[in-house]
Amino acid sequence: TTTTTTTTTKSKYAVFEEWLLANGATFPHLELRSYDSSDSTSKESKDPSTPDEGLPCEDAPDDSEMRGVHANRPIAAHSQILTIPRRLLITVEMGKATPLGSAILRHGLDLDAPKHVFLMVFLLQDRVKEDSFFRPYYDVLPRTLSNMPIFWTDEELSMLEGSHLLSQIADRKRAISEDYELICSVAPSLRTLATLADFMWARMCVCSRNFGLLVNGVRTSALVPHADMLNHLRPRETKWTFDNDQQAFTITSLRPLAAGSQIYDSYGQKCNHRFLLNYGFAVEDNVEADGFCPNEVPIVVALTQQESGSDPLRFPEKTSFWTRDGSPLVRRVRVCASNNDNTKSLLSLLRVLAATRDDLAAVTKAGPYMYRSARDVRFGLNVDNEARALDALAEACDAQLRAYPTTAEEDRRALGTPGLLQPYSNARNARVQVLGEKVVLGHFAELAECGRALLKSEAWEEEIEKMDGRHHAIVQYCKDVVGG
């Protein structure tokens, strides 16, 4: 008789959950699931379109990195569904207490993201210890972050051609590199502990996973195991906090949650460029419950400094007013399809840009309290000035739209073609991002077109009444500015 003994190795997720439970965490109605598939090219996607199916994580491939949290039974509204005790949190203060953290504090380094850095240095120093208390947590962190744009290949980055996000990605990479070199200059051991690539990985892990908390009266940031696996959805269906009475991080449901459904956190109302840069995904229908879309695009407004010449719109007094608040001659105003302060500031700058000497004299005579800067000319100066400002807006939008290799309609077709842009892929996220920018630029081009037509119309009141199908922000502009 031959006896065969089979040894079953626990998955890293089973070890992780056992570690949490052994240290007082509670999550009786939750389970972790994986969504990895052979046609997905991105990892750790946190998109509300993430499917509600998927494998339990312990049954998924060991390198699975696209995860989420699901209900394993019905959950009532206002139920505490997750409790993570204080001892399981990694906080900024823990990073400050490390040798690297102490060196950073002692030298008073001016870092790009100091709170993130202290969490990073704890993570980088502690994860190399085989006997680390947090070993089960480190083992389930994503090994790659290839969905994060700072790790994209040149070919993938080319899919963002025309977008200002490319500059932001380059700026982020440069800032991380500068932080790394600055810390190495006062603590050379960092270079032995972690390469720049390791440092970048830690930065994006912390950037995409940390929670801002008030712990026992101290405002801090923390990595919270398990809680950081909830994907994003708006409007929010859960809320989280650090409960001082329980000395634990808690998540509570805000509505009933069905058995098997994915449970989401809200990462907040954000433009897709922030979601993509910081979390590695773009939301295809990034619209709030009230219809507001927070997607933004920076529009460049530049005052060309020319002290003399035949152009009546260029003169030294304008330069003086334009730079009164210390702003540069070239400004970048980030706007969305709304009538908010940024939109009003953009239009104000365009009015100053389009101002003649007489226009500017009318502004400066009003006194510094009414028009403190070039951002404060919130209403049209006269019909001709407003028309020139709208011409400049249309030209700016047209120039930026021409910088993209594809049109908005081509992007929509590509996103709507089955099998062309795989779910969660960097290619799809890039298309969603640039399409969102083009929609905003199209909105402002439409505003300029409508405004210019009304300024030429003798029956502008009747024309405004016929604008019901237009975006409400365009209608509001026409009523407030053109009508005024």
Side-chain angles (χ1 to χ4, degrees):
T1 303
T2 304
T3 303
T4 302
T5 303
T6 302
T7 302
T8 302
T9 303
K10 291 181 182 177
S11 78
K12 61 184 179 181
Y13 296 102
V15 173
F16 172 62
E17 290 188 329
E18 288 178 3
W19 170 72
L20 291 172
L21 293 169
N23 285 282
T26 60
F27 43 94
H29 306 325
L30 307 183
E31 66 179 21
L32 300 175
R33 290 192 187 176
S34 166
Y35 316 113
D36 275 334
S37 62
S38 59
D39 61 7
S40 175
T41 60
S42 73
K43 306 296 183 185
E44 198 64 6
S45 179
K46 297 189 175 183
D47 183 326
S49 64
T50 299
D52 277 351
E53 55 270 8
L55 290 171
C57 276
E58 57 266 28
D59 297 331
D62 196 51
D63 61 351
S64 172
E65 293 183 359
M66 194 186 303
R67 291 82 58 97
V69 178
H70 287 246
N72 59 23
R73 67 190 70 180
I75 297 174
H78 312 299
S79 301
Q80 187 167 297
I81 60 175
L82 178 72
T83 305
I84 304 294
R86 168 69 182 81
R87 71 188 307 258
L88 292 171
L89 274 56
I90 298 174
T91 65
V92 167
E93 290 67 36
M94 293 165 65
K96 289 179 178 179
T98 64
L100 281 175
S102 298
I104 292 168
L105 290 172
R106 187 167 58 253
H107 288 86
L109 299 185
D110 182 17
L111 300 169
D112 177 63
K115 284 190 175 181
H116 287 178
V117 163
F118 288 117
L119 291 171
M120 291 160 57
V121 297
F122 183 90
L123 176 62
L124 290 169
Q125 291 172 96
D126 195 56
R127 70 171 185 155
V128 299
K129 304 174 183 175
E130 284 300 322
D131 61 347
S132 166
F133 171 71
F134 292 100
R135 172 56 50 201
Y137 175 52
Y138 301 148
D139 287 344
V140 299
L141 287 175
R143 296 176 186 173
T144 69
L145 292 169
S146 59
N147 61 316
M148 300 283 189
I150 71 164
F151 298 115
W152 285 11
T153 65
D154 289 343
E155 181 180 356
E156 289 171 324
L157 289 173
S158 71
M159 297 183 293
L160 294 171
E161 182 180 345
S163 174
H164 180 63
L165 183 56
L166 285 171
S167 295
Q168 293 177 284
I169 294 166
D171 289 345
R172 172 67 60 83
K173 292 170 75 170
R174 182 166 50 252
I176 296 173
S177 179
E178 289 173 355
D179 278 358
Y180 178 74
E181 293 299 333
L182 191 56
I183 297 171
C184 287
S185 70
V186 301
S189 61
L190 174 60
R191 206 177 297 277
T192 303
L193 179 71
T195 64
L196 175 58
D198 294 331
F199 194 78
M200 292 176 71
W201 170 86
R203 170 67 184 273
M204 298 315 298
C205 263
V206 168
C207 177
S208 62
R209 312 182 87 83
N210 81 96
F211 293 84
L213 301 174
L214 189 65
V215 178
N216 301 327
V218 176
R219 190 157 298 282
T220 189
S221 292
L223 295 175
V224 186
H226 199 299
D228 59 6
M229 291 190 183
L230 269 70
N231 293 317
H232 164 75
L233 182 67
R234 296 278 293 173
R236 66 177 186 159
E237 59 184 31
T238 60
K239 65 178 182 180
W240 50 262
T241 189
F242 185 85
D243 188 307
N244 286 309
D245 292 334
Q246 297 184 66
Q247 284 296 289
F249 177 98
T250 64
I251 295 181
T252 303
S253 61
L254 295 177
R255 66 172 182 81
L257 302 168
S261 65
Q262 186 172 177
I263 298 175
Y264 296 97
D265 177 23
S266 168
Y267 299 179
Q269 177 182 290
K270 291 180 174 68
C271 171
N272 260 336
H273 87 274
R274 293 180 63 190
F275 284 135
L276 188 52
L277 183 62
N278 296 324
Y279 301 99
F281 68 85
V283 181
E284 298 205 19
D285 188 22
N286 192 20
V287 178
E288 295 291 299
D290 62 1
F292 171 69
C293 176
N295 287 344
E296 300 173 332
V297 66
I299 293 181
V300 176
V301 185
L303 178 68
T304 304
Q305 191 169 18
Q306 183 172 318
E307 303 299 344
S308 61
S310 59
D311 189 343
L313 301 182
R314 296 178 182 173
F315 46 89
E317 295 90 342
K318 184 185 291 189
T319 301
S320 176
F321 182 65
W322 184 274
T323 58
R324 175 186 283 179
D325 60 356
S327 295
L329 295 178
V330 179
R331 302 193 190 195
R332 184 173 281 108
V333 185
R334 188 170 282 282
V335 290
C336 59
S338 75
N339 197 31
N340 62 13
D341 278 349
N342 277 14
T343 295
K344 293 173 182 177
S345 292
L346 172 65
L347 292 169
S348 175
L349 291 168
L350 290 167
R351 291 178 187 120
V352 175
L353 191 70
T356 62
R357 288 181 185 274
D358 288 343
D359 294 338
L360 192 65
V363 170
T364 54
K365 284 178 183 176
Y369 297 104
M370 184 170 182
Y371 299 121
R372 290 171 295 177
S373 74
R375 288 179 172 270
D376 299 318
V377 186
R378 298 300 177 96
F379 294 97
L381 298 174
N382 54 62
V383 171
D384 289 342
N385 175 268
E386 196 69 12
R388 288 192 298 272
L390 292 175
D391 285 343
L393 176 60
E395 290 170 7
C397 292
D398 184 59
Q400 289 185 225
L401 285 167
R402 288 198 309 270
Y404 298 101
T406 59
T407 66
E409 187 54 40
E410 288 170 332
D411 293 339
R412 291 190 182 96
R413 283 201 300 270
L415 289 166
T417 302
L420 182 60
L421 298 171
Q422 297 294 345
Y424 331 123
S425 67
N426 294 344
R428 191 172 191 89
N429 284 330
R431 277 295 181 105
V432 172
Q433 169 62 31
V434 296
L435 173 59
E437 295 175 359
K438 294 168 194 175
V439 168
V440 177
L441 289 167
H443 166 87
F444 281 95
E446 183 182 350
L447 183 149
E449 179 185 3
C450 290
R452 288 185 296 184
L454 286 175
L455 287 170
K456 296 175 184 177
S457 173
E458 294 182 359
W460 58 267
E461 291 175 303
E462 291 83 352
E463 293 297 324
I464 289 177
E465 292 301 320
K466 299 176 184 177
M467 296 179 66
D468 289 343
R470 302 282 187 181
H471 191 283
H472 66 86
I474 294 176
V475 176
Q476 195 64 49
Y477 162 79
C478 290
K479 289 180 177 178
D480 290 349
V481 179
V482 179

